Amino acid sequence: MQWETVIGLEVHVQLATRSKIFSGASTAFGAEPNTQACAVDLGLPGVLPVLNEAAVSMAVQFGLAVHAQIPEVSVFDRKNYFYPDLPKGYQTSQMYHPIVGPGEVEVSLEDGSTKSIRIHHAHLEEDAGKSLHEDFHGMTGIDLNRAGTPLLEIVSEPDMRNAKEAAAFLKAIYSIVTYLGISDGNMAEGSMRCDVNVSVRPQGQASLGTRAEVKNVNSFRFVERAIAFEVERQIELIEDGGRVVQETRLYDPERDETRSMRTKEEANDYRYFPCPDLLPVVLDQAYVEHLRGQLPELPADKRARFERELGLSAYDAGVLSASRDMAEYFEEVKNECGDAKQAANWVQGELSGALNRENLLITQSPVSARQLGQLVGRVMDDTISGKAAKQVFQALWNGQGNSADDVIEAQGLKQVTDSGAIEAMIDQVIADSPAQVAQYCDAEPEKRGKMIGYFVGQVMKASRGTANPQQVNGLLKEKLDALL
Ligand code: ADP
Ligand code: MG
């Protein structure tokens, strides 16, 4: 039997407001426990919430970026449940009238193709506090700093068909929220959290299978792992005559498995009702249009422009537009050296390699975009060879020199294109290598092409990498063939 996987994601994005969604308390990360929760966040009697306009604006910007309908009226509801990190006894959320209606996101897949994933809706809600188990022996600590932090929950339609598509969707959401500047998207710090809904069905069946919801999968890689595990578990279960039950499961990265947490709750378990303390949110058309006018160039548009105007491949355009920081860095390198393709190669090759090795973000790169752009320019105008350029890059990376030109000067890397100087070096190498010359002359003609590599290497070494390799090649061939 052929099985098809169906995946829908619920992504919680922490919005980058300075204060909380319904109070003036700070949202800064990493403060002493319980120093940033006020009476409103704790739901103490007699206090009233006031909606933070910045959270509304950010939610609407997201909606516009995913081509969603923005309803004129949205309403906050209370989702009632008991949990130690929720002292109010309810979470303020939006159940029936979310702030962002149906939309769609274009995601780019590894083979360079794109796929449209529909957004069911996105709604605003507040985060809860945190239970801390580690520092308290036999007890649980409660830190309420996070209580009341604004979240945008983005709910997809079940449009993804494999783990790669799910990861690509999550990356697209990451790109959009970071381009908009409405979240730092940092999954490791919990600014972006994801619940993964997975089901399987026989290939060709129209109705959906029963799903399991895997909670709080907090990295791109874990999303793929959790899905792989779930798909296998569900198929095995069904093939052994069992059935999938609708439940909430937890992904455990250490054991690389999902485990049952609880059976799926229904909406009516939460006794949702409109929050009597908050007015419905009414957005007038002018407000929405004002925000639309201020949207920056978004990832999908940038990617398309990189392909169309700069002639980059779909793959390169996708990588270089994936984050706003990456795109800005690349564009500066390109402007400095004047060649998009070369700029793309250096940013994705030498630079990304070095950043990955040292686990640095592009904003932390020791080599600035301007420095890299100038360096690439020096390769293009033949001042230095590609090999010397790597040496210059390393020197800039290590802080040895302020510019490519400084390093080229200080290390004497200027390429020798004077053919007299190159010929002198070639003559010396030929004189020093009688055995190799004899071998070359005795070899069959079609083998000589390969054997010339030895001599090129020697000349390059003698010139400390500064001789122009094409020139060396051409002159060597002439001189050696004259000896035949
Ligand atoms: P709930 O309100 O119980 O969380 P929803 O119907 O709102 O459930 O769906 C939540 C998420 O689950 C959405 O992202 C949706 O696309 C996804 N989903 C719904 N049904 C399935 C299914 N059968 N298989 C996979 N994903 C599903
Ligand atoms: Mg849900």
Side-chain angles (χ1 to χ4, degrees), residues 268-347:
N268 59 17
D269 295 333
Y270 288 115
R271 302 292 188 269
Y272 280 99
F273 64 87
C275 180
D277 289 345
L278 287 159
L279 291 166
V281 182
V282 180
L283 301 175
D284 64 45
Q285 201 58 30
Y287 175 80
V288 175
E289 289 315 313
H290 171 72
L291 290 176
R292 194 193 303 278
Q294 294 194 324
L295 289 180
E297 185 182 30
L298 289 160
D301 301 329
K302 207 180 269 289
R303 189 177 62 227
R305 180 168 63 81
F306 282 179
E307 280 187 63
R308 192 181 61 239
E309 285 178 13
L310 306 181
L312 297 185
S313 69
Y315 177 83
D316 287 357
V319 172
L320 294 168
S321 62
S323 84
R324 190 167 166 173
D325 293 330
M326 173 70 104
E328 279 171 5
Y329 190 104
F330 160 71
E331 289 204 270
E332 199 179 336
V333 175
K334 183 216 76 188
N335 291 340
E336 194 69 45
C337 74
D339 188 297
K341 189 67 207 161
Q342 292 292 336
N345 288 346
W346 275 85
V347 171

Side-chain angles (χ1 to χ4, degrees), residues 399-421:
Q400 302 160 316
N402 285 324
S403 70
D405 287 337
D406 283 356
V407 176
I408 293 167
E409 181 69 35
Q411 303 197 9
L413 293 171
K414 216 168 154 104
Q415 187 158 241
V416 179
T417 49
D418 167 6
S419 54

Side-chain angles (χ1 to χ4, degrees), residues 106-127:
E106 191 179 280
V107 309
S108 41
L109 303 172
E110 276 175 356
D111 63 4
S113 66
T114 58
K115 175 171 177 174
S116 173
I117 307 290
R118 290 169 301 154
I119 301 287
H120 181 272
H121 77 272
H123 64 261
L124 280 169
E125 62 186 26
E126 61 182 340
D127 209 345

Side-chain angles (χ1 to χ4, degrees), residues 10 153 213 264:
E10 295 161 278
E153 176 170 342
E213 177 173 359
K264 176 76 186 166

Side-chain angles (χ1 to χ4, degrees), residues 169-282:
F169 174 76
L170 200 56
K171 284 185 184 146
I173 297 293
Y174 171 86
S175 296
I176 291 169
V177 300
T178 53
Y179 266 62
L180 291 171
I182 62 172
S183 175
D184 63 22
N186 189 331
M187 290 189 89
E189 285 180 3
S191 311
M192 222 169 95
R193 308 194 285 270
C194 180
D195 301 339
V196 184
N197 297 272
V198 184
S199 65
V200 297
R201 63 178 169 190
Q203 196 78 255
Q205 178 184 305
S207 60
L208 296 175
T210 305
R211 77 186 139 121
E213 177 173 359
V214 187
K215 281 280 177 199
N216 275 331
V217 194
N218 54 13
S219 84
F220 293 110
R221 196 160 51 89
F222 292 164
V223 167
E224 292 191 39
R225 307 283 290 258
I227 292 170
F229 180 87
E230 253 323 283
V231 168
E232 214 179 294
R233 182 187 73 86
Q234 293 183 13
I235 292 175
E236 226 163 80
L237 191 61
I238 301 169
E239 288 185 342
D240 287 350
R243 43 192 319 182
V244 176
V245 290
Q246 191 170 336
E247 63 181 350
T248 304
R249 300 177 70 87
L250 191 76
Y251 177 67
D252 176 349
E254 302 214 329
R255 296 213 215 149
D256 193 24
E257 64 178 25
T258 69
R259 283 196 298 276
S260 182
M261 269 170 78
R262 54 175 189 255
T263 54
K264 176 76 186 166
E265 65 285 349
E266 299 290 333
N268 59 17
D269 295 333
Y270 288 115
R271 302 292 188 269
Y272 280 99
F273 64 87
C275 180
D277 289 345
L278 287 159
L279 291 166
V281 182
V282 180

